Amino acid sequence: MAASPNGPQQPDRTPLILDGRNLKESPAAFVAEAGAVLADERAVLLIDTFERVQGLERWLSEQFLPVLPTGALVVMASRIPPDMMWQADPGWAGVVQIIELGDMGRMDAAALLDSRGVAGELHEPLLTFASGHPLALSLGAAAPAGQDAASSTAVAVSDSAAGSHWTPAHDVLATLLDQLVGEVPSPAHRHALEVCAHTYMSTQDVLHAALPGEDAATLFFWPRRLPFVEPGPFGWYPHDVVREILEADLRWRDPRGYADMHRRIKACLTQQIRAAEDADVFGAVGSLFYLHRGDGRRAEPHVWLGAGEVYEDVFRPEDAEDLLRLAIEQDAGAVAAVSHSMARQAQADPVVATA
C-alpha cells in the first residue's frame, strides 16, 4: 500500500527501510525510527512486514502520515489486508493506492532462476513447485546449487504427464513454513491448515470430520484473513506452494496422523456424495478426485484451472456438439468414451464445462 498524503512525487528520493519484526508497536518507538522522514520531502519510507505492527495503522493514518512534508512517499507491505478506512475516508481515498501482489508470471519466474544460476533442467520442476511464489522460487533456486545427489532435495521424474517434480529438503520446508505460514494460534489451527492443504476446498463439515473434538466453526472462519488462503465456491483453499509444503511436512513428520486425516476426509466426502442431490454433489465429487491425486488413482482429465474458470454440470443433449469437439482435441480414446457416456444419457454423471 502506498500513501503520498500531501503532494506529487519528486525525483532523487531518499529511502528509509523499516522492518516490522524489529519495531516496537508504539507511536513513540515508530517516531524514533522513522522521524527523519518528517523533515524530508524527498523521503520514501518503506515498511516491510507491517503485519507485525498492524496496531499502528490507525495512528499512522490520523497522526503520523498527515504531517509528512509535501512529496514524501510511504509504502507499507503487509500479509494482512489494509483496513477499509483507507478507502472509506474521503481524505485518503484519492492519495492511497492498494496493490495486491500476486504470483510472478512464468517468464519472470524463469528469469529469476536464470539470474540465480539454476541449471536449465531444474527450471520446470522448480517452476511447477513454486507456482510463481517469489520466496519459494528464491529458496528453491538456492537449494539445488549447494546440494549433491545424496541430499534430501532431489528432482524425481514421475510417469505422469506432469513431468518432473521437485521435492525440497526438510530445512527448506522448515524455512518456507516459517516464512509463508508463520506462527499459528494453536495446534488445532495448524491441523486445520493441514486439512485445507489436503483437500481441494475445505468446508466446516470437512473440518468437523477431520478434527473431531475441535471447534470446527471457529477454525473454518479463522483463515479468511490469511494471505495464502482464498475462498472458492466450495470452501477455502490455500496457495499451491503452501499446500505443497504443509502436505510434505505432515507426511514426513507424522505419517500415521496424515493417514488418519486422509481416511476421515475421504469418509466425509463419500457420505456427502451419497446424501447429495443433483448439482449439490459436484463439489464433493471434485474434492474426492483431488484427494487421490498422490496415490496413482487421480483422473488426469479432472483438472481444476482455477475458481470461476471451470464448473461441473449434468449432461444435456444440447451439450453434445461441444463435448465431442473437446474430445476430438484430446484423442480418439476420449471421443469413444464421451460418445459412450452421451449414449447412456447418464443425467446424474457430472461433466466438466468451461465457464
Side-chain angles (χ1 to χ4, degrees), residues 19-25 48-56 77-80 178 182-183:
D19 192 324
R21 288 169 292 194
N22 302 321
L23 294 174
K24 293 182 179 179
E25 197 171 12
D48 196 9
T49 326
F50 185 70
E51 69 273 7
R52 295 296 184 93
V53 290
Q54 201 83 23
L56 296 175
S78 177
R79 291 158 57 94
I80 299 176
D178 288 343
E183 297 180 3

Side-chain angles (χ1 to χ4, degrees), residues 320-331 334-335 338 352-354:
E321 183 178 347
D322 289 336
L323 287 173
L324 284 174
R325 175 178 54 80
L326 291 172
I328 290 171
E329 293 176 0
Q330 296 298 317
D331 53 52
V335 174
V338 170
V352 175
T354 57

Side-chain angles (χ1 to χ4, degrees), residues 136-151:
L137 281 166
S138 296
L139 288 173
Q147 294 171 335
D148 55 29
S151 169

Side-chain angles (χ1 to χ4, degrees), residues 116-155:
R116 300 295 179 88
V118 176
E121 63 269 19
L122 293 179
H123 277 210
E124 187 61 30
L126 279 172
L127 291 171
T128 300
F129 168 79
S131 300
H133 196 287
L135 177 60
L137 281 166
S138 296
L139 288 173
Q147 294 171 335
D148 55 29
S151 169
S152 56
T153 296
V155 177

Side-chain angles (χ1 to χ4, degrees), residues 9-351:
Q9 301 179 16
Q10 296 182 6
D12 302 323
R13 292 183 173 275
T14 306
L16 174 62
I17 303 175
L18 302 179
D19 192 324
R21 288 169 292 194
N22 302 321
L23 294 174
K24 293 182 179 179
E25 197 171 12
S26 74
F30 188 90
V31 171
E33 296 289 340
V37 303
L38 295 173
D40 187 355
E41 64 179 11
R42 299 178 301 138
V44 178
L45 176 59
L46 305 172
I47 311 172
D48 196 9
T49 326
F50 185 70
E51 69 273 7
R52 295 296 184 93
V53 290
Q54 201 83 23
L56 296 175
E57 190 172 11
R58 187 163 294 275
W59 171 79
L60 284 170
S61 70
E62 295 177 353
Q63 299 188 46
F64 184 84
L65 295 179
V67 299
L68 289 180
T70 300
L73 179 68
V74 177
V75 179
M76 293 180 283
S78 177
R79 291 158 57 94
I80 299 176
D83 195 294
M84 287 299 296
M85 57 98 178
W86 295 103
Q87 295 171 300
D89 188 330
W92 281 114
V95 293
V96 169
Q97 184 177 9
I98 298 175
I99 303 172
E100 183 176 352
L101 299 180
D103 297 331
M104 297 178 69
R106 195 168 185 82
M107 292 183 61
D108 290 335
L112 185 151
L113 296 181
D114 278 332
S115 70
R116 300 295 179 88
V118 176
E121 63 269 19
L122 293 179
H123 277 210
E124 187 61 30
L126 279 172
L127 291 171
T128 300
F129 168 79
S131 300
H133 196 287
L135 177 60
L137 281 166
S138 296
L139 288 173
Q147 294 171 335
D148 55 29
S151 169
S152 56
T153 296
V155 177
V157 180
S158 69
D159 294 329
S160 71
S164 301
H165 182 77
W166 183 72
T167 303
H170 301 315
D171 57 341
V172 177
L173 279 177
T175 302
L176 283 167
L177 282 171
D178 288 343
Q179 295 294 323
L180 299 182
V181 177
E183 297 180 3
V184 295
S186 72
H189 290 79
R190 172 56 64 89
H191 293 327
L193 286 180
E194 291 164 351
V195 172
C196 288
H198 194 58
T199 57
Y200 173 59
M201 290 188 184
S202 294
T203 64
Q204 186 170 316
D205 287 343
V206 169
L207 286 173
H208 179 75
L211 303 173
E214 301 292 350
D215 185 352
T218 298
L219 294 176
F220 176 74
F221 286 105
W222 166 66
R224 66 171 54 194
R225 288 182 63 82
L226 298 178
F228 52 83
V229 175
E230 297 286 343
F234 305 113
W236 300 111
Y237 65 96
H239 186 283
D240 287 343
V241 71
V242 176
R243 186 193 295 277
E244 286 271 356
I245 62 176
L246 285 168
E247 281 271 275
D249 179 68
L250 182 60
R251 282 197 306 266
W252 168 74
R253 176 171 46 83
D254 185 10
R256 179 174 295 181
Y258 182 89
D260 288 343
M261 177 185 68
H262 178 91
R263 175 179 51 80
R264 293 192 185 101
I265 295 173
K266 179 180 178 181
C268 175
L269 295 175
T270 302
Q271 180 59 34
Q272 287 181 4
I273 293 171
R274 290 171 177 168
E277 296 181 0
D278 299 329
D280 293 338
V281 74
F282 297 141
V285 169
S287 294
L288 193 60
F289 268 96
Y290 190 85
L291 198 64
H292 293 293
R293 62 194 180 278
D295 62 4
R297 289 183 285 165
R298 180 184 178 187
E300 289 300 330
H302 195 281
V303 177
W304 296 97
L305 300 179
E309 295 183 34
V310 298
Y311 63 91
E312 291 180 328
D313 203 351
V314 295
F315 169 76
R316 299 179 181 85
E318 58 266 30
D319 298 326
E321 183 178 347
D322 289 336
L323 287 173
L324 284 174
R325 175 178 54 80
L326 291 172
I328 290 171
E329 293 176 0
Q330 296 298 317
D331 53 52
V335 174
V338 170
S339 298
H340 176 71
S341 178
M342 290 191 299
R344 293 180 59 190
Q345 301 241 334
Q347 296 291 326
D349 290 341
V351 296

